[in-house]
Amino acid sequence: MTQFSGIQPTGLTHLGNYLGAIRQWAARHHRDDLFCVVDLHAMTIRHNPNVLRARAREQLAMLIAAGVNPDIACVFTQSDLIQEHAALTWVLECVVSYGELARMTQFKDKAKGQDGVRAGLFTYPVLMAADILLHGAEEVPVGEDQRQHLELARTLAKRFNATYGEVLTVPRAVTPRVAARVADLAAPERKMSKSSGDQSGTVLVLDPPELIRRKIMRAVTDQVGEVRYAPESQPGVSNLLDILAACTNGEPRALAEQISGYAELKERTAEAVIEELRPVREGVRELLADPAELDQLRAHGAERARAGCAHRLEAVLKVTGLR
Ligand code: TYM
């Protein structure tokens, strides 16, 4: 069962990314799986080239520090395979329709009120589909917010196969049992996100312990006064229970019964998050301090990824008449 997933080096990696995606990748990966720093995706909005280069490196270090073992799974940087990913993207752009892309809610949200929206922001879900389909993924472990993009990837794989012949594997999304949509601590009706202007409700993976504690202790709760798992009526409290459950491999409802008040809930959650992220922060620091080692890991990942996808891209080119 091949898994593929990716993370953008846009902005700084937060607890939502970690619990919704990275932690699942670290917990379960095998030799055929691939995890990717999708730096091409980070160009769909204005970016600074030096920052992108540095963040992509940091992101690669973070996946490894979080426990995705590069001796087992393939961990690579998307732009190292720019020719392969861009080639399949073009083919799939000639499979997708304009209307399908115009319906993507993430595009509509991100483009709203912006001047000079990049065409890449519009076609971005095709690049994402190409990432998945190029590597023959059967499962794509992601957070809840990627479901619509995954549906599009499935549609494109099926349409491609029906039009040209069975070449592409039809993938499916796999979301975690808890914390598939971590909310912003300061505004629990919103998902925690890299782009929210206000950072007070966003715990970053590399935040120092004291800052994590402060952000969690200030999390917005409610006036109910009872610790209950009720995502609709008590989103703030339920979000903390989700986070605590994810970090301790627990169950949010069972935890709610053991915890008597909001202060205790926040303290336990802060402690669990700090302990969960501590080794990741330290591991990133160590890997970034050894550039030669990180370069070597990156090159090894790229080589494996390229070797694994070459036959599939060749088959795509053949059935579409390009070879
Ligand atoms: P990105 O970089 O925005 O997020 C990376 C992963 O983090 C998950 N995530 C969350 N999970 C729970 N709660 C949250 N608040 C939260 N915020 C983000 C995302 O669901 C994602 O799994 N388009 C993708 C990157 C991508 C990709 C791919 C993913 C490119 N190609 C191929 C899978 C397969 C994205 O922007 O994720």
Side-chain angles (χ1 to χ4, degrees), residues 10-19 22 55 58 62 182 184-185 192-213 215-216 273-274 276-278 280-281:
T10 317
L12 296 165
T13 310
H14 56 70
L15 188 62
N17 300 130
Y18 180 79
L19 295 179
I22 300 172
R55 293 239 166 104
E58 182 181 285
M62 190 179 292
V182 175
D184 189 297
L185 297 175
M192 190 177 282
S193 118
K194 288 174 190 157
S195 47
S196 87
D198 172 17
Q199 290 291 294
S200 64
T202 306
V203 171
L204 302 178
V205 172
L206 299 181
D207 272 347
E210 271 326 299
L211 186 56
I212 297 178
R213 190 183 310 280
K215 287 177 177 173
I216 294 178
V273 171
I274 288 168
E276 178 71 30
L277 297 182
R278 189 188 303 281
V280 183
R281 203 177 64 250

Side-chain angles (χ1 to χ4, degrees), residues 252-290:
R253 281 196 176 75
L255 286 165
E257 283 170 18
Q258 298 161 16
I259 297 174
S260 52
Y262 293 174
E264 183 189 344
L265 172 62
K266 288 178 175 179
E267 271 155 26
R268 281 182 61 173
T269 306
E271 217 37 57
V273 171
I274 288 168
E275 289 319 312
E276 178 71 30
L277 297 182
R278 189 188 303 281
V280 183
R281 203 177 64 250
E282 288 168 2
V284 168
R285 198 185 309 133
E286 276 170 31
L287 277 163
L288 290 179
D290 190 349

Side-chain angles (χ1 to χ4, degrees), residues 9 84 94 114 136 139 143 155 173 180 184 193 232 242 249 301 312:
E84 291 82 351
C94 299
Q114 306 276 343
E139 290 190 348
T155 302
D184 189 297
S193 118
E232 291 297 321
D242 265 335
N249 296 320
R312 199 169 295 105

Side-chain angles (χ1 to χ4, degrees), residues 46-154:
R46 247 167 73 134
H47 76 284
N48 173 320
N50 290 326
V51 173
L52 174 58
R53 195 177 294 113
R55 293 239 166 104
R57 218 174 153 72
E58 182 181 285
Q59 191 69 264
L60 187 73
M62 190 179 292
L63 299 191
I64 297 168
V68 183
N69 185 341
D71 291 330
I72 299 174
C74 173
V75 184
F76 75 105
T77 302
Q78 186 189 29
S79 59
D80 289 342
L81 271 72
I82 188 167
Q83 293 178 8
E84 291 82 351
H85 283 251
L88 186 57
T89 299
W90 175 251
V91 171
L92 294 177
E93 281 186 18
C94 299
V95 173
V96 75
S97 75
Y98 175 87
E100 282 169 322
L101 293 180
R103 281 198 291 278
M104 292 290 124
T105 53
Q106 270 202 0
F107 171 72
K108 288 193 269 188
D109 290 348
K110 288 192 177 167
K112 206 176 338 177
Q114 306 276 343
D115 282 334
V117 171
R118 295 183 176 180
L121 187 66
F122 185 67
T123 57
Y124 156 107
V126 188
L127 177 58
M128 175 162 165
D131 298 340
I132 297 166
L133 303 178
L134 179 64
H135 298 283
E138 291 156 289
E139 290 190 348
V140 185
V142 282
E144 201 56 55
D145 63 339
Q146 296 299 320
R147 274 202 182 273
Q148 195 187 28
H149 291 157
L150 249 295
E151 273 312 307
L152 183 73
R154 288 172 61 83

